[in-house]
Amino acid sequence: MVVHRCLCFVIIVTTRDKQVLAREFANVYQVEALKFDESMRPFNLNAFKQKHLQAEYQELSKKVVDYAKGIPFVLKLLGHRLRGKDKEIWESQLEGQVHNKKVHDIIKLSYNDLEEDEKKIFLDIACFFYGLQLEVKYIDFLLKDRDYSVVAGLERLKDKALISISQENTVSMHDIIQETARQIAGQESIEDPRSQRRLFDPDGVYEVLTHNKGNEAIRSIVINLLRMKQLHLKPQVFTKMRKLHFLNLYTAGTRDILLCEPWGLYLPQGLESLPNELRYLGWTNYPLESLPSKFSAENLVELHLPYSRVKKLWQEVPDLVNLKVLILQSSSNIKELLDFSKAPNLEVIDL
């Protein structure tokens, strides 16, 4: 009797780019982020060389694991970084959000592999749309460009694990990836600060808005007004920002704050204009009774003016052919709505 022994091998191939596998393999498994309890084990193994955490580090460990958001590589790096350090070092690292150069360098490798249009979409999501939980179709409308496909770009970012797209088709990004993206965006303008395209830092936004330093380079501005010093703006504040596509001045705070006077932002002489290139306009507690008459809004896709003082959006309603979302929640001074026939593609209204 002859016995044949068959040796079977399983080869596992991993990559940061899903398309590399899709071209060669029929079945591709997307590794999901670990749940919180599952994340504790790899972190503990690297931080304490054991499966269970030390009691005195319990709360600190939970904060670090929460920051890692279930990414095994990040859990391993942070565990190694904090191993053998005393509690004071842990606390100081947490205050600095546990920045780790290796993590950011790995993400930058994926970023460098992108085409220029994909980089543009990636930075727009990280520097403006982060946290908005927008669906793919709305991001497609907001970022639409004749030269490239936004949907294809989003798929590419998803394949490289730089963004996530949920079953509901909502786009999101991991906190750590967003941090890296914002570092990249900031480095774009190191040599010439006037060339910064995406403004999100409170000090930078304050400098541009209060001293009328806006220019055509600026593509987006987003800021939580509760993090700002008082802003006294001139009517011409947005005049030079002709290519501003995205503006979001919001207040993330308590309901009592939202119901009070316009928080820290004043337009004593009104507002002369807004850029006609605007596609997304968000302004919590908008302090005026209407939008500027010189604002054509022909490119506007989403308009968010919750808790505003608006009585009538426009004195004469422009053609709003691209408008899809209108939010006027808690704008209790409204006396007249716009002519909805001027917005034939409107899908969402929140009054």
Side-chain angles (χ1 to χ4, degrees):
M1 181 176 66
V2 178
V3 177
H4 294 280
R5 293 185 178 181
C6 180
L7 298 178
C8 297
F9 296 93
V10 176
I11 300 175
I12 299 176
V13 181
T14 65
T15 178
R16 297 190 308 272
D17 189 343
K18 182 179 178 181
Q19 289 304 313
V20 172
L21 300 179
R23 289 192 293 265
E24 302 293 338
F25 300 96
N27 299 315
V28 178
Y29 175 73
Q30 172 109 14
V31 180
E32 301 294 336
L34 298 175
K35 296 178 181 179
F36 185 84
D37 290 341
E38 295 170 335
S39 298
M40 292 300 294
R41 180 176 177 180
F43 176 74
N44 292 335
L45 284 171
N46 287 281
F48 307 112
K49 294 186 178 181
Q50 58 188 30
K51 296 179 182 179
H52 305 289
L53 56 82
Q54 296 179 13
E56 59 181 313
Y57 285 87
Q58 183 172 357
E59 293 305 317
L60 289 171
S61 296
K62 288 180 179 178
K63 289 180 181 179
V64 176
V65 169
D66 182 63
Y67 173 83
K69 296 293 187 295
I71 300 180
F73 178 73
V74 176
L75 289 162
K76 179 179 178 181
L77 283 178
L78 296 180
H80 277 294
R81 186 181 180 88
L82 296 171
R83 181 189 297 171
K85 303 292 193 301
D86 57 34
K87 292 178 67 175
E88 287 72 21
I89 298 296
W90 281 55
E91 289 167 353
S92 67
Q93 291 291 311
L94 284 168
E95 288 175 5
Q97 293 188 303
V98 211
H99 290 304
N100 191 300
K101 186 176 184 299
K102 288 185 179 179
V103 175
H104 295 303
D105 286 345
I106 292 294
I107 296 169
K108 286 178 182 177
L109 288 175
S110 293
Y111 172 81
N112 291 335
D113 288 340
L114 299 174
E115 300 293 335
E116 287 305 312
D117 55 305
E118 295 163 351
K119 290 179 179 179
K120 189 175 181 180
I121 296 171
F122 174 68
L123 293 179
D124 281 338
I125 292 173
C127 298
F128 188 84
F129 296 110
Y130 176 80
L132 291 179
Q133 295 293 303
L134 295 178
E135 295 180 20
V136 167
K137 66 175 181 178
Y138 289 123
I139 291 183
D140 183 29
F141 285 119
L142 288 161
L143 297 180
K144 64 181 178 182
D145 195 290
R146 295 177 184 176
D147 298 328
Y148 58 84
S149 166
V150 175
V151 173
L154 290 172
E155 280 298 315
R156 174 74 167 147
L157 296 179
K158 178 186 174 184
D159 288 344
K160 294 187 74 64
L162 292 172
I163 64 170
S164 298
I165 300 178
S166 69
Q167 292 183 342
E168 294 76 27
N169 236 19
T170 299
V171 176
S172 61
M173 178 180 287
H174 192 281
D175 295 353
I176 298 172
I177 295 174
Q178 189 231 14
E179 287 176 14
T180 305
R182 289 194 165 189
Q183 284 182 10
I184 294 169
Q187 290 167 354
E188 287 181 335
S189 57
I190 287 178
E191 294 183 2
D192 183 6
R194 294 173 299 176
S195 67
Q196 184 163 353
R197 304 191 67 198
R198 300 169 177 87
L199 300 178
F200 47 82
D201 175 71
D203 293 335
V205 173
Y206 180 86
E207 184 72 14
V208 167
L209 296 184
T210 57
H211 298 292
N212 275 14
K213 292 185 176 181
N215 56 58
E216 290 193 3
I218 298 175
R219 177 174 172 83
S220 66
I221 299 175
V222 58
I223 197 67
N224 180 359
L225 293 173
L226 300 186
R227 298 178 59 198
M228 301 282 289
K229 295 177 284 188
Q230 284 191 349
L231 286 166
H232 294 267
L233 305 183
K234 296 179 180 179
Q236 303 82 16
V237 61
F238 295 109
T239 303
K240 297 179 182 178
M241 303 184 203
R242 296 183 183 89
K243 295 183 180 179
L244 184 68
H245 280 54
F246 315 111
L247 175 65
N248 191 10
L249 306 174
Y250 68 97
T251 51
T254 65
R255 186 172 183 275
D256 292 336
I257 290 174
L258 292 175
L259 292 175
C260 73
E261 292 295 310
W263 185 263
L265 192 154
Y266 303 93
L267 290 162
Q269 301 174 52
L271 187 60
E272 184 178 288
S273 65
L274 283 166
N276 291 330
E277 288 293 327
L278 273 180
R279 299 181 183 183
Y280 184 107
L281 172 58
W283 195 326
T284 305
N285 278 325
Y286 178 73
L288 305 178
E289 295 182 358
S290 67
L291 292 169
S293 59
K294 293 183 180 180
F295 177 38
S296 73
E298 60 186 350
N299 294 301
L300 198 61
V301 176
E302 300 207 19
L303 177 60
H304 294 247
L305 297 178
Y307 298 93
S308 73
R309 287 186 169 186
V310 166
K311 291 184 177 180
K312 186 178 180 181
L313 282 171
W314 280 275
Q315 296 305 315
E316 188 172 336
V317 182
D319 288 329
L320 300 167
V321 66
N322 289 304
L323 188 65
K324 293 186 175 293
V325 178
L326 173 64
I327 307 295
L328 292 170
Q329 174 199 353
S330 299
S331 295
S332 56
N333 292 335
I334 287 282
K335 295 188 179 299
E336 183 179 342
L337 290 173
L338 55 80
D339 178 359
F340 289 120
S341 68
K342 297 290 186 72
N345 294 306
L346 194 60
E347 296 180 1
V348 177
I349 303 175
D350 185 354
L351 303 178

